[in-house]
Amino acid sequence: MKLKILLLTIISVFALVIAAVFTTDYYTSQPSFCGACHMMKKYYNTWESGKHNEVKCIECHYAAPTEKYSLGSKFKGLGQLYTYMSTYTKHTTVRKPSSVNDLSCMTMDCHPRAKLDDKKYAFGERTLFVHKTHFENTIEGQTLHCATCHQHLSAGKHLEVPKQACFLCHFMNTEFNQDRAKCSLCHTIPTKPLQRQKKEVKPGEKPVTHQSLAEAKVDCQSCHYELVFGNGEIKEEECVNCHDVPEISSSADDMELMHQKHVGEQNARCFDCHRPIRHEQLEFLDPIREACFICHPNHHNNQKLLLLGKERQEIMNVPGLMYDVKTNCIGCHIEERLIGGEKVLHGSAEACVACHTEKYYGMPQEWKNKIKEELEYALEIEKDAEQAIKAAENMVSMEKLNEAKGMLRKGQKYLRLVEYGGGVHNYKYSIVLLDDAMNNFEDLIDMLKE
Amino acid sequence: MSNKEIKSRRDALKTGAAVVATVVATAGLLPKNALAASDNPRWAMVVDLRKCTGCRACTIACKAEYGVALGRFNTVVKNVEFNKFPDTEKHFVPRLCNNCAGEQGKDVPPCVEKCPQAKAGKRMKLGKERYRTGATYKRPDGMILMDMSLCIGCYKCIDACPYGVRSIDPFVKLTLPNREKDLGVGKCTFCAHRVDQGIVPACVNTCEGRARVFGDLNNPDSPVAKLDKEFNLTGTKNKSTMLPGEKTDPHVFYIDPDNILARYKLNKENKQQEFIGTFE
């Protein structure tokens, strides 16, 4: 009898223990459980709304393949929690970011290598991407993992390839359009015609296209320049994010070793250490201004605003006449004059005639004269408006006076833009701005008179 | 009418007074509620496609009024045919400058937007609204007018107009220096000179079937506003105006129960052909 009870107890305890183990294993495998200890709310949210939300955390995130699904790794986690809670001053170990092993991505059920290798992906408008070359031809010392490019950077995406990741490897320590920075590696040549105004092609004529230029072996950089910004230098101040030692070890200059240690072993992301490199077509006016930015921040801004001719309140969008063909400052400022011993580039009508016909020679001067005339008139009305406000100071209600002052300020804003920006940079836009300024001044005078 | 150039601040104020006086004085076409708000009239035309008989008296009246050059037209009546025998349909579609208001929010029609000289003229005042003339400009009462003395002959407006209304006018020579050899641009002007005097445009005056109706949309008593109310023209612009997809907001409305406009294929490739040759 006693033996029976003992046996029953043992069996039931055994069953309970097994049940408990399975329940624990099941419960701790749930993605919602991970957040109990890990600081991962942001990542959890992006995972939940992303494409991978049916794949559990532990199916991808594990330290070594042997630890996948193992109960032991969970107890290891408990150990980590203890270490985290009990030590708060010096961390002797290096803090590692969460990682995803390549094997967990490239299982037969998910993204097998064979399927990935040769498939072409359209990335942006004219950029094609193939995985194979990235697995095989990497930079010396660099090992590319899935997570090297498929990073988690911006909010809302759990596994996204930020373009900066491409730019960093392709442009760091390279010459423009050389080696791995060659335009044709990623971009296909556009088929858009270059002569937009040419509507009919007569027999015997050969219109200029990107294709015809490529055939004639014209370099891309003859037209497309200033496309890469920044050099992807190391953010040395960020080392301490993972390492508690403030000194930088002498081996930090060894690129191969650093990549092997950080990217190969730890799955570090590019921008944990590097500053991003920008690769974009800037506004065509900025590259020419950028050279002086260090000493003169945002110089010639009024001129730029006039040339762009952006839409404003009650003012229509009027880009400069040469906006479409991206003629920047030095397109027209070709005449060198000496001012105070310094060479200064002045705008010249020669520039107009060089591309257009002789009859446009006088046009810039005509514009200048007209704008000068209008500007003088506008300044006169501005004075009238200021006087009207002064005269009405104690005569009208505070509200009305404030409204009038607001109108004055609005008018002055546009007036100053044309005055300091040189209206000739965008004749039509300048007149539109001046008109609006004058309307404001006149309206406020009328309003105060009433 | 009340259209005065602003020369100085004092003149501007005087103009304001003159406007009120003229508005009161001119009866007939002018809006009765012009005094109530700052509003200027908004001239518009309604073309009743049911009534057009294709007599083309409008085309001739326009030619007589303006002395339009041979081979050019400011207004035409298109013969439009659909289907195959025996189910054929034939309609007449009078066409003229739509005097577009321009896309909402922008309020600039494409021709004025593209004109580099659109603001080259003088500041003027109409009613309480100030505007500036130019080679092509929009007057506050909605008319799209031209001042050929300011035109530089770039012909961007001809390209910009989706309707093919504008064409090179062999009778007009440009006057700006260095451009004397170039020809000007011609188009329908809504007969601004007649309307300013208080009478309707020549084509409307001559239209036998009363298919063309002209008036002020802002004045509820005008024939145009009455037709608008009856047929809800401004409410159904997608149906009552030409090429609504271009978002130009035309102010020539068509009363079109047979859905002719929707079926009418405008020759977009060669849009100027639309206004050349009345008989096809």
Side-chain angles (χ1 to χ4, degrees):
Chain A
M1 192 65 190
K2 268 185 185 175
L3 197 75
K4 243 185 187 178
I5 293 169
L6 194 72
L7 210 68
L8 210 70
T9 325
I10 290 172
I11 289 171
S12 55
V13 166
F14 198 68
L16 269 174
V17 167
I18 287 175
V21 166
F22 273 100
T23 333
T24 318
D25 188 42
Y26 174 80
Y27 181 68
T28 53
S29 298
Q30 294 309 307
S32 48
F33 173 78
C34 302
C37 303
H38 293 281
M39 288 173 279
M40 48 174 273
K41 194 166 181 205
K42 190 171 104 189
Y43 309 102
Y44 180 82
N45 288 344
T46 56
W47 164 83
E48 202 177 24
S49 57
K51 274 185 196 165
H52 287 84
N53 59 5
E54 284 180 8
V55 185
K56 286 178 189 166
C57 303
I58 54 156
E59 283 182 60
C60 301
H61 295 284
Y62 46 82
T66 47
E67 289 185 355
K68 195 176 180 183
Y69 298 130
S70 75
L71 204 60
S73 63
K74 283 163 186 165
F75 282 104
K76 217 170 135 189
L78 271 180
Q80 282 172 2
L81 181 69
Y82 173 76
T83 323
Y84 180 81
M85 303 294 267
S86 55
T87 53
Y88 54 89
T89 47
K90 282 243 167 187
H91 295 272
T92 43
T93 49
V94 176
R95 289 186 289 277
K96 295 178 187 175
S98 73
S99 65
V100 172
N101 198 303
D102 288 356
L103 288 172
S104 32
C105 305
M106 292 194 276
T107 60
M108 284 315 283
D109 296 336
C110 303
H111 311 284
R113 174 88 187 261
K115 253 190 187 177
L116 283 179
D117 262 0
D118 291 315
K119 199 180 165 192
K120 284 180 178 168
Y121 293 85
F123 196 40
E125 215 174 285
R126 274 193 312 277
T127 314
L128 281 179
F129 177 86
V130 183
H131 273 105
K132 197 176 182 181
T133 46
H134 292 84
F135 283 127
E136 287 168 3
N137 316 329
T138 50
I139 311 169
E140 282 170 56
Q142 174 67 282
T143 325
L144 287 182
H145 296 287
C146 300
T148 316
C149 304
H150 293 270
Q151 312 174 351
H152 176 100
L153 271 186
S154 66
K157 291 264 174 78
H158 197 63
L159 288 166
E160 159 203 45
V161 183
K163 281 183 184 165
Q164 288 90 332
C166 312
F167 302 155
L168 189 73
C169 291
H170 279 276
F171 294 125
M172 190 151 175
N173 300 331
T174 52
E175 293 279 315
F176 187 73
N177 204 6
Q178 297 291 324
D179 304 331
R180 60 175 185 274
K182 243 185 157 28
C183 311
S184 56
L185 274 185
C186 312
H187 297 292
T188 50
I189 303 179
T191 47
K192 256 190 195 168
L194 286 169
Q195 289 168 296
R196 260 184 300 169
Q197 297 196 346
K198 199 170 195 68
K199 276 166 194 149
E200 299 166 21
V201 180
K202 285 173 195 154
E205 261 185 341
K206 275 189 183 169
V208 182
T209 60
H210 271 104
Q211 277 70 22
S212 73
L213 288 175
E215 254 174 53
K217 291 187 178 154
V218 176
D219 277 341
C220 304
Q221 63 259 48
S222 335
C223 302
H224 303 278
Y225 42 86
E226 298 286 356
L227 292 170
V228 181
F229 307 91
N231 51 11
E233 61 198 329
I234 304 289
K235 299 184 272 190
E236 288 180 353
E237 69 276 12
E238 304 257 317
C239 297
V240 290
N241 279 1
C242 310
H243 303 275
D244 284 321
V245 203
E247 301 88 34
I248 293 163
S249 120
S250 59
S251 53
D253 290 334
D254 189 345
M255 181 187 114
E256 212 167 303
L257 182 78
M258 285 295 119
H259 274 148
Q260 198 207 335
K261 285 272 175 209
H262 290 110
V263 187
E265 288 177 14
Q266 318 269 354
N267 259 330
R269 286 156 193 148
C270 311
F271 306 106
D272 293 343
C273 308
H274 286 277
R275 283 186 208 289
I277 290 182
R278 285 183 7 235
H279 172 47
E280 60 194 10
Q281 251 179 325
L282 268 199
E283 265 183 274
F284 62 101
L285 294 168
D286 271 347
I288 208 84
R289 297 164 72 233
E290 204 151 71
C292 320
F293 271 170
I294 300 166
C295 305
H296 310 283
N298 217 5
H299 64 99
H300 289 115
N301 192 37
N302 289 334
Q303 283 86 339
K304 181 189 157 188
L305 290 176
L306 284 178
L307 284 167
L308 296 178
K310 290 232 171 84
E311 199 175 332
R312 290 154 187 269
Q313 204 183 351
E314 290 174 15
I315 284 174
M316 60 178 173
N317 174 34
V318 191
L321 287 174
M322 294 289 102
Y323 180 87
D324 276 348
V325 288
K326 299 193 172 166
T327 306
N328 61 20
C329 315
I330 51 169
C332 305
H333 287 253
I334 54 171
E335 193 189 324
E336 274 187 11
R337 284 188 216 161
L338 282 174
I339 292 182
E342 290 284 333
K343 273 183 197 166
V344 177
L345 288 172
H346 277 258
S348 166
E350 298 288 344
C352 312
V353 178
C355 300
H356 303 278
T357 53
E358 285 283 334
K359 62 181 181 181
Y360 292 97
Y361 195 85
M363 197 181 244
Q365 198 54 46
E366 271 171 44
W367 288 345
K368 272 185 194 170
N369 294 345
K370 173 90 182 168
I371 288 185
K372 198 179 162 201
E373 192 185 304
E374 294 292 336
L375 195 64
E376 275 168 12
Y377 181 47
L379 287 169
E380 209 175 281
I381 306 178
E382 189 202 0
K383 257 182 215 163
D384 283 359
E386 276 171 349
Q387 274 167 11
I389 286 183
K390 228 177 224 174
E393 210 136 80
N394 294 320
M395 315 276 281
V396 294
S397 67
M398 211 51 203
E399 258 173 39
K400 213 172 179 182
L401 199 69
N402 281 341
E403 202 190 332
K405 279 179 181 167
M407 287 161 89
L408 181 75
R409 270 197 299 277
K410 201 180 151 206
Q412 277 171 336
K413 192 175 139 198
Y414 293 154
L415 183 60
R416 293 289 103 81
L417 182 54
V418 180
E419 196 181 356
Y420 298 137
V424 73
H425 286 108
N426 189 344
Y427 169 63
K428 189 174 165 187
Y429 191 58
S430 303
I431 301 274
V432 174
L433 288 172
L434 284 178
D435 266 357
D436 197 75
M438 287 191 269
N439 288 351
N440 268 308
F441 296 148
E442 285 175 351
D443 284 348
L444 90 88
I445 294 174
D446 288 349
M447 192 183 77
L448 290 177
K449 281 241 166 84
E450 269 168 22
Chain B
M1 211 173 69
S2 50
N3 219 347
K4 288 261 168 79
E5 185 192 331
I6 304 172
K7 277 183 187 133
S8 69
R9 279 235 21 87
R10 263 188 210 156
D11 272 6
L13 290 173
K14 270 188 216 160
T15 322
V19 170
V20 174
T22 31
V23 166
V24 174
T26 334
L29 261 181
L30 285 179
K32 279 177 186 166
N33 63 344
L35 278 177
S38 73
D39 291 303
N40 280 304
R42 205 321 168 186
W43 302 119
M45 191 182 285
V46 173
V47 179
D48 196 337
L49 291 182
R50 303 168 302 176
K51 289 181 178 174
C52 180
T53 59
C55 73
R56 294 179 170 85
C58 46
T59 308
I60 294 158
C62 178
K63 283 244 175 195
E65 182 75 26
Y66 282 92
V68 181
L70 208 66
R72 257 205 79 240
F73 295 90
N74 283 344
T75 179
V76 288
V77 180
K78 301 298 283 184
N79 287 350
V80 183
E81 286 160 28
F82 300 122
N83 303 344
K84 280 185 181 155
F85 179 81
D87 302 320
T88 42
E89 279 177 54
K90 179 165 179 171
H91 304 281
F92 303 106
V93 180
R95 304 226 24 221
L96 65 156
C97 173
N98 281 301
N99 286 274
C100 310
E103 196 178 332
Q104 252 196 349
K106 257 176 158 183
D107 289 331
V108 191
C111 49
V112 179
E113 193 184 338
K114 284 284 177 302
C115 177
Q117 292 284 94
K119 295 280 169 185
K122 294 181 170 109
R123 292 186 80 219
M124 308 279 274
K125 195 167 181 181
L126 183 70
K128 278 185 182 173
E129 282 180 80
R130 298 181 188 84
Y131 66 102
R132 191 184 276 277
T133 66
T136 281
Y137 61 100
K138 184 175 144 191
R139 218 164 69 169
D141 58 3
M143 290 186 175
I144 310 299
L145 301 179
M146 298 192 296
D147 183 348
M148 276 300 123
S149 67
L150 298 168
C151 179
I152 57 167
C154 69
Y155 308 132
K156 280 184 182 172
C157 53
I158 297 183
D159 286 347
C161 176
Y163 304 96
V165 167
R166 290 160 174 265
S167 52
I168 295 176
D169 191 340
F171 282 5
V172 182
K173 287 255 160 68
L174 301 183
T175 54
L176 282 182
N178 286 325
R179 286 145 211 147
E180 292 93 348
K181 281 179 191 165
D182 291 334
L183 294 175
V185 176
K187 79 162 189 78
C188 154
T189 64
F190 252 7
C191 275
H193 61 293
R194 288 173 65 102
V195 175
D196 286 353
Q197 300 299 322
I199 47 174
V200 292
C203 56
V204 177
N205 187 45
T206 199
C207 185
E208 277 197 89
R210 296 277 178 268
R212 287 179 185 236
V213 182
F214 186 84
D216 171 18
L217 267 184
N218 288 348
N219 177 7
D221 295 334
S222 77
V224 161
K226 279 178 188 163
L227 282 174
D228 173 31
K229 205 174 166 192
E230 190 179 341
F231 294 96
N232 190 18
L233 297 172
T234 45
T236 55
K237 280 180 180 169
N238 277 338
K239 207 172 158 283
S240 66
T241 59
M242 206 154 241
L243 294 187
E246 298 284 335
K247 290 185 181 168
T248 48
D249 194 2
H251 272 64
V252 172
F253 299 97
Y254 292 87
I255 296 174
D256 178 23
D258 296 331
N259 262 334
I260 301 163
L261 287 188
R263 291 184 286 164
Y264 174 40
K265 291 275 181 301
L266 212 112
N267 186 354
K268 272 192 182 172
E269 298 287 297
N270 197 356
K271 56 191 180 186
Q272 275 180 42
Q273 210 60 43
E274 287 279 317
F275 275 77
I276 294 172
T278 34
F279 299 97
E280 54 266 73

